[in-house]
Amino acid sequence: MFSSIAPLARLNPFYAPHFQLVQDGVRKRAEPAEAPTTRRSLAAASAAEEYSCEYGSLKFYALCGVGGVLSCGLTHTAVVPLDLVKCRMQVDPQKYKSIFNGFSVTVKEDGVRGLAKGWAPTFIGYSMQGLCKFGFYEVFKILYGNLLGEENAYLWRTSLYLAASASAEFFADIALAPMEAAKVRIQTQPGYANTLRQAVPKMFGEEGIWAFYKGVAPLWMRQIPYTMMKFACFERTVEALYKYVVPKPRSECTKAEQLVVTFIAGYIAGVFCAIVSHPADSVVSVLNKEKGSSASQVLMRLGFKGVWKGLFARIIMIGTLTALQWFIYDSVKVYFRLPRPPPPEMPESLKKKLGLTE
């Protein structure tokens, strides 16, 4: 299915402008548009490096999804102890007053093993989310880019990243919601359930299927802004690093050097992601703990100060998480020899229109 999307998109009437402005104010019909810069760059690079698949092919999307599974599933599972303390600080700030106090109280009451509570739904849920998040991001980025055409895709590239990531996250949160609901119950309700196998039938018996999806709207509130910031900030930060910081062009950098740039850009994006998404994250944590409450009721009860509880822990967690996710995702692309487009450059046709070429 995915392999047919890009060719179909190129046939739509918005793919390339039918007219272009030329000198003396005369409008003339344009010649058929050239392939987008990304495809031309990758085609030229293929002479020096053999890729395992074509950019935008079904295999490309599938392997990007594998990268998403590994990047999100492994990293979120690795920080379960910090996530557990953060959630408990949000739902019971009187008992869990700070990060260090939260760890101390948790170990005292549940032992060291108690810090791993919720690892199974975390791994399953965020693996599914990563599959949809990264896989569909690539799908929508190519689809929307083809709809815009080469020049507009460059001029509106930030909007393109925002739209593609928001579209991908919409589906990713539907995949994440059931496991996120189970995770929060396990982590924040003492005595409710210690494992996923205990939590799922108990939740279904009490509230039916709604128990697993009542948090999907707050998840959209939290994750869609988070993901939009994560992808758009990352893409533009990578572009800026190669333009202003890295002393040589990306094409001359080794794979290891490129991955270092990926990690740095990912961490910068992660800090902004944590700040943007934290209020909604607080609402999700409280909502999944309580029965019968709505997102608006929880938000009003927490107030402005309450929704920012645990922000420092979230910045540490999400900053590290986001950097590692982009590092792992890009490493998977390198390992499977997937096409990795360079930062976008202004198309020659646009340079001519703007008078930037002789």
PDB file of all heavy atoms in Angstrom, residues 172-185:
ATOM      1  N   ALA A 172      -0.225   6.839  16.139  1.00  0.00           N
ATOM      2  CA  ALA A 172       0.676   6.239  17.129  1.00  0.00           C
ATOM      3  C   ALA A 172       0.048   6.210  18.516  1.00  0.00           C
ATOM      4  O   ALA A 172       0.229   5.246  19.272  1.00  0.00           O
ATOM      5  CB  ALA A 172       1.990   7.024  17.170  1.00  0.00           C
ATOM      6  N   ASP A 173      -0.724   7.243  18.871  1.00  0.00           N
ATOM      7  CA  ASP A 173      -1.339   7.298  20.199  1.00  0.00           C
ATOM      8  C   ASP A 173      -2.469   6.297  20.359  1.00  0.00           C
ATOM      9  O   ASP A 173      -2.725   5.803  21.464  1.00  0.00           O
ATOM     10  CB  ASP A 173      -1.865   8.710  20.480  1.00  0.00           C
ATOM     11  CG  ASP A 173      -0.733   9.696  20.701  1.00  0.00           C
ATOM     12  OD1 ASP A 173       0.391   9.248  20.981  1.00  0.00           O
ATOM     13  OD2 ASP A 173      -0.976  10.915  20.586  1.00  0.00           O
ATOM     14  N   ILE A 174      -3.152   5.997  19.269  1.00  0.00           N
ATOM     15  CA  ILE A 174      -4.187   4.962  19.327  1.00  0.00           C
ATOM     16  C   ILE A 174      -3.542   3.614  19.647  1.00  0.00           C
ATOM     17  O   ILE A 174      -4.093   2.804  20.398  1.00  0.00           O
ATOM     18  CB  ILE A 174      -4.960   4.899  17.996  1.00  0.00           C
ATOM     19  CG1 ILE A 174      -5.724   6.217  17.780  1.00  0.00           C
ATOM     20  CG2 ILE A 174      -5.929   3.722  17.976  1.00  0.00           C
ATOM     21  CD1 ILE A 174      -6.406   6.327  16.431  1.00  0.00           C
ATOM     22  N   ALA A 175      -2.360   3.382  19.100  1.00  0.00           N
ATOM     23  CA  ALA A 175      -1.627   2.143  19.377  1.00  0.00           C
ATOM     24  C   ALA A 175      -1.064   2.124  20.799  1.00  0.00           C
ATOM     25  O   ALA A 175      -0.979   1.068  21.431  1.00  0.00           O
ATOM     26  CB  ALA A 175      -0.496   1.977  18.366  1.00  0.00           C
ATOM     27  N   LEU A 176      -0.710   3.295  21.320  1.00  0.00           N
ATOM     28  CA  LEU A 176      -0.095   3.398  22.646  1.00  0.00           C
ATOM     29  C   LEU A 176      -1.096   3.363  23.793  1.00  0.00           C
ATOM     30  O   LEU A 176      -0.793   2.819  24.871  1.00  0.00           O
ATOM     31  CB  LEU A 176       0.712   4.698  22.728  1.00  0.00           C
ATOM     32  CG  LEU A 176       1.243   5.120  24.105  1.00  0.00           C
ATOM     33  CD1 LEU A 176       2.258   4.111  24.634  1.00  0.00           C
ATOM     34  CD2 LEU A 176       1.869   6.516  24.028  1.00  0.00           C
ATOM     35  N   ALA A 177      -2.282   3.923  23.602  1.00  0.00           N
ATOM     36  CA  ALA A 177      -3.226   4.186  24.694  1.00  0.00           C
ATOM     37  C   ALA A 177      -3.495   3.001  25.628  1.00  0.00           C
ATOM     38  O   ALA A 177      -3.460   3.165  26.853  1.00  0.00           O
ATOM     39  CB  ALA A 177      -4.543   4.721  24.124  1.00  0.00           C
ATOM     40  N   PRO A 178      -3.791   1.786  25.125  1.00  0.00           N
ATOM     41  CA  PRO A 178      -4.092   0.682  26.058  1.00  0.00           C
ATOM     42  C   PRO A 178      -2.960   0.363  27.021  1.00  0.00           C
ATOM     43  O   PRO A 178      -3.189   0.187  28.226  1.00  0.00           O
ATOM     44  CB  PRO A 178      -4.367  -0.493  25.104  1.00  0.00           C
ATOM     45  CG  PRO A 178      -4.782   0.139  23.819  1.00  0.00           C
ATOM     46  CD  PRO A 178      -3.960   1.384  23.719  1.00  0.00           C
ATOM     47  N   MET A 179      -1.748   0.299  26.500  1.00  0.00           N
ATOM     48  CA  MET A 179      -0.610  -0.032  27.365  1.00  0.00           C
ATOM     49  C   MET A 179      -0.252   1.123  28.301  1.00  0.00           C
ATOM     50  O   MET A 179       0.201   0.901  29.422  1.00  0.00           O
ATOM     51  CB  MET A 179       0.598  -0.412  26.509  1.00  0.00           C
ATOM     52  CG  MET A 179       0.449  -1.711  25.745  1.00  0.00           C
ATOM     53  SD  MET A 179       0.283  -3.185  26.800  1.00  0.00           S
ATOM     54  CE  MET A 179      -1.490  -3.461  26.747  1.00  0.00           C
ATOM     55  N   GLU A 180      -0.448   2.352  27.852  1.00  0.00           N
ATOM     56  CA  GLU A 180      -0.183   3.509  28.712  1.00  0.00           C
ATOM     57  C   GLU A 180      -1.141   3.514  29.902  1.00  0.00           C
ATOM     58  O   GLU A 180      -0.739   3.798  31.033  1.00  0.00           O
ATOM     59  CB  GLU A 180      -0.334   4.798  27.903  1.00  0.00           C
ATOM     60  CG  GLU A 180      -0.111   6.081  28.699  1.00  0.00           C
ATOM     61  CD  GLU A 180       1.331   6.341  29.057  1.00  0.00           C
ATOM     62  OE1 GLU A 180       2.204   5.530  28.660  1.00  0.00           O
ATOM     63  OE2 GLU A 180       1.607   7.357  29.731  1.00  0.00           O
ATOM     64  N   ALA A 181      -2.413   3.167  29.663  1.00  0.00           N
ATOM     65  CA  ALA A 181      -3.403   3.115  30.739  1.00  0.00           C
ATOM     66  C   ALA A 181      -3.028   2.051  31.762  1.00  0.00           C
ATOM     67  O   ALA A 181      -3.102   2.282  32.976  1.00  0.00           O
ATOM     68  CB  ALA A 181      -4.787   2.838  30.158  1.00  0.00           C
ATOM     69  N   ALA A 182      -2.599   0.880  31.267  1.00  0.00           N
ATOM     70  CA  ALA A 182      -2.205  -0.198  32.170  1.00  0.00           C
ATOM     71  C   ALA A 182      -0.950   0.174  32.955  1.00  0.00           C
ATOM     72  O   ALA A 182      -0.851  -0.088  34.170  1.00  0.00           O
ATOM     73  CB  ALA A 182      -1.972  -1.480  31.367  1.00  0.00           C
ATOM     74  N   LYS A 183      -0.009   0.801  32.296  1.00  0.00           N
ATOM     75  CA  LYS A 183       1.245   1.200  32.953  1.00  0.00           C
ATOM     76  C   LYS A 183       0.999   2.145  34.118  1.00  0.00           C
ATOM     77  O   LYS A 183       1.546   1.970  35.213  1.00  0.00           O
ATOM     78  CB  LYS A 183       2.170   1.865  31.930  1.00  0.00           C
ATOM     79  CG  LYS A 183       3.485   2.374  32.508  1.00  0.00           C
ATOM     80  CD  LYS A 183       4.152   3.350  31.576  1.00  0.00           C
ATOM     81  CE  LYS A 183       3.440   4.675  31.617  1.00  0.00           C
ATOM     82  NZ  LYS A 183       4.202   5.806  32.085  1.00  0.00           N
ATOM     83  N   VAL A 184       0.160   3.159  33.875  1.00  0.00           N
ATOM     84  CA  VAL A 184      -0.098   4.145  34.926  1.00  0.00           C
ATOM     85  C   VAL A 184      -0.813   3.507  36.107  1.00  0.00           C
ATOM     86  O   VAL A 184      -0.526   3.821  37.272  1.00  0.00           O
ATOM     87  CB  VAL A 184      -0.910   5.333  34.360  1.00  0.00           C
ATOM     88  CG1 VAL A 184      -1.337   6.277  35.491  1.00  0.00           C
ATOM     89  CG2 VAL A 184      -0.081   6.092  33.337  1.00  0.00           C
ATOM     90  N   ARG A 185      -1.757   2.596  35.850  1.00  0.00           N
ATOM     91  CA  ARG A 185      -2.439   1.891  36.951  1.00  0.00           C
ATOM     92  C   ARG A 185      -1.431   1.113  37.805  1.00  0.00           C
ATOM     93  O   ARG A 185      -1.476   1.148  39.026  1.00  0.00           O
ATOM     94  CB  ARG A 185      -3.483   0.922  36.380  1.00  0.00           C
ATOM     95  CG  ARG A 185      -4.675   1.570  35.702  1.00  0.00           C
ATOM     96  CD  ARG A 185      -5.658   2.175  36.694  1.00  0.00           C
ATOM     97  NE  ARG A 185      -6.824   2.706  36.001  1.00  0.00           N
ATOM     98  CZ  ARG A 185      -7.962   2.050  35.836  1.00  0.00           C
ATOM     99  NH1 ARG A 185      -8.096   0.814  36.296  1.00  0.00           N
ATOM    100  NH2 ARG A 185      -8.978   2.622  35.208  1.00  0.00           N
TER     101      ARG A 185
END
